[in-house]
Structure formats: C-alpha cells, structure tokens
Amino acid sequence: MLRFCFALVLTSLASVALADLSGPLRVIDGDTVAIGETRIRLHGIDAPENGQFCGNRTAPMWPCGSWISGEVRARFDGRSARCVAMDIDKYGRTVARCAVAGEDLGAALVRGGLAFAYTRYSSDYLPQQAEAARRGVGLHGAGVESPADFRKAARRGHDAQHLASAPEGCEIKGNISNRGDAHIYHMPGQAWYGATRINLVKGERWFCSEAEAQDAGWRRAHH
C-alpha cells in the first residue's frame, strides 16, 4: 500500500512538471528561460554559455555568451509565452517548446543566429540554422566554438584553474580582462608577462607573433 501511494505521488509530480506552462518569460541565458518558479530548457537548441568567448584569427575575441543572453533578454524577457513540456532533464529543468506571439521561440532564436540547432536531441531547427548561416547573422562567421564542445572541454578539466603551456615558438600571452572588455597581449620580458596566466576556456590564447596578435584585434600591454 505504501509503495502504491509513493508511486501515485511520483506520477502526480511528473504530471505537474510536464503540464503546459504559460505566463511572462524570465530569460536566464540563451537557451534557458523560466515561467514563475519553473526553469525551462528550450528543446532542440543550444546557445553559447554565459562565460564563453568567441573569435578566431580574423575576428577579435568577444564575450559571445553574455552577448547572446543580453540579446535574448532584450527581445523576449517579460513577454507572454506558452510552453508545452516534453521532458525533465538531468538538472531538473523542464524541457519544452515555447511560443511567443504564436512563433516558436527556438525557431526564432536559431533563425536569428542567437542559438544553434542541438542535433544531439533534435533536427527540427536545421532549416532555420541553414538560413542563418546563409545570411551570416548573429553567431555565424564569428569564430564560434560549439557550446557542446566548450562544455566538454570544461569537463575535461580545462576550467579556470587550468593553464595551457605555450605551443613551440608561440610565447606571446593573449590576456582578457575580468570584465571581458580588454584584450591585451604580453611580450616575454614585459613587467606582467610572468604573472599572466592563460585560460583557454575564457578565450585567452598564445600568439606566435605581434602581427598575429594585432590582426586578431589584441593590443600590446603598456608595461
């Protein structure tokens, strides 16, 4: 009897968690929102993590994760949404499709280049991703590492504590300020060279020449 009651409670809780949700959105990051006390992971999309940086040799490093969160917040925070729950993920979040003014939110974000189709779980938004890539909007063409690859690197131990060794012949240290608004490189022999540490997850990197650092949009340290 006790086992039956416990199963009944679990079933009831699951039904509540997977019920349709509606109300004003609170944006948490590029692919996570909340309605009331329910945190919702948007189905089928993946956006850069808040601490993720993007860039490459032709595009200066920039805080794409926080930018994406800000863009999604500016466009959708406080707007009324209706979400249809599909699952509960391992973090206890409700996985759902959400619509704002009748438009699928996941589709809108992928089409606008603010998120990627999360093909590990769904291929629903591949057409919108192809359209965004063709137009070169948002994250496309900005040297963006896959959010999944970024998280995988962090799990392997490339976190804030992990320091990379300089590749052979590439000893110039590219450092990013704590606020993410200054990209400075330090040459061997400069005052702060020895104390500067490189955190690859943050977007910091080694350069092989001053020209390479400057082409990437970094400036030389004053001392």
Side-chain angles (χ1 to χ4, degrees):
M1 183 67 174
L2 221 91
R3 183 178 297 173
F4 173 77
C5 290
F6 183 64
L8 197 61
V9 169
L10 286 180
T11 302
S12 177
L13 287 173
S15 299
V16 170
L18 295 177
D20 290 1
L21 299 160
S22 61
L25 283 179
R26 177 166 54 88
V27 173
I28 296 169
D29 59 29
D31 51 34
T32 309
V33 297
I35 293 179
E37 297 301 312
T38 303
R39 184 169 289 217
I40 300 165
R41 177 64 163 85
L42 295 173
H43 168 75
I45 72 169
D46 201 15
E49 300 298 316
N50 269 327
Q52 187 170 343
F53 279 70
C54 300
N56 54 31
R57 294 188 64 172
T58 59
M61 300 300 293
W62 58 290
C64 55
S66 59
W67 179 78
I68 289 295
S69 296
E71 286 292 306
V72 177
R73 191 168 290 115
R75 301 181 192 193
F76 296 103
D77 198 70
R79 296 186 65 181
S80 181
R82 183 174 183 273
C83 300
V84 178
M86 303 173 67
D87 200 358
I88 302 294
D89 72 9
K90 63 182 179 180
Y91 302 107
R93 299 174 300 185
T94 298
V95 179
R97 292 181 182 275
C98 295
V100 174
E103 181 180 22
D104 184 299
L105 182 56
L109 294 177
V110 175
R111 186 183 301 112
L114 299 177
F116 299 105
Y118 203 176
T119 54
R120 177 180 175 184
Y121 296 103
S122 172
S123 57
D124 291 351
Y125 301 122
L126 283 175
Q128 290 85 353
Q129 181 165 284
E131 177 189 341
R134 178 180 57 79
R135 292 164 50 217
V137 297
L139 293 166
H140 295 279
V144 181
E145 180 183 21
S146 155
D149 288 344
F150 177 86
R151 293 190 295 269
K152 191 183 299 180
R155 285 194 297 271
R156 285 199 305 262
H158 294 278
D159 56 20
Q161 305 294 319
H162 183 80
L163 305 178
S165 298
E168 185 177 356
C170 303
E171 298 179 349
I172 299 173
K173 295 179 177 181
N175 179 246
I176 298 173
S177 67
N178 289 334
R179 294 189 304 173
D181 59 353
H183 295 69
I184 300 168
Y185 66 87
H186 299 261
M187 301 289 294
Q190 286 192 287
W192 291 100
Y193 182 86
T196 300
R197 299 290 181 266
I198 300 301
N199 176 7
L200 296 178
V201 171
K202 183 180 174 183
E204 295 174 335
R205 54 185 289 195
W206 298 92
F207 292 105
C208 304
S209 68
E210 282 198 84
E212 180 187 4
Q214 291 167 3
D215 287 346
W218 300 55
R219 67 171 177 83
R220 180 171 177 151
H222 296 307
H223 304 289

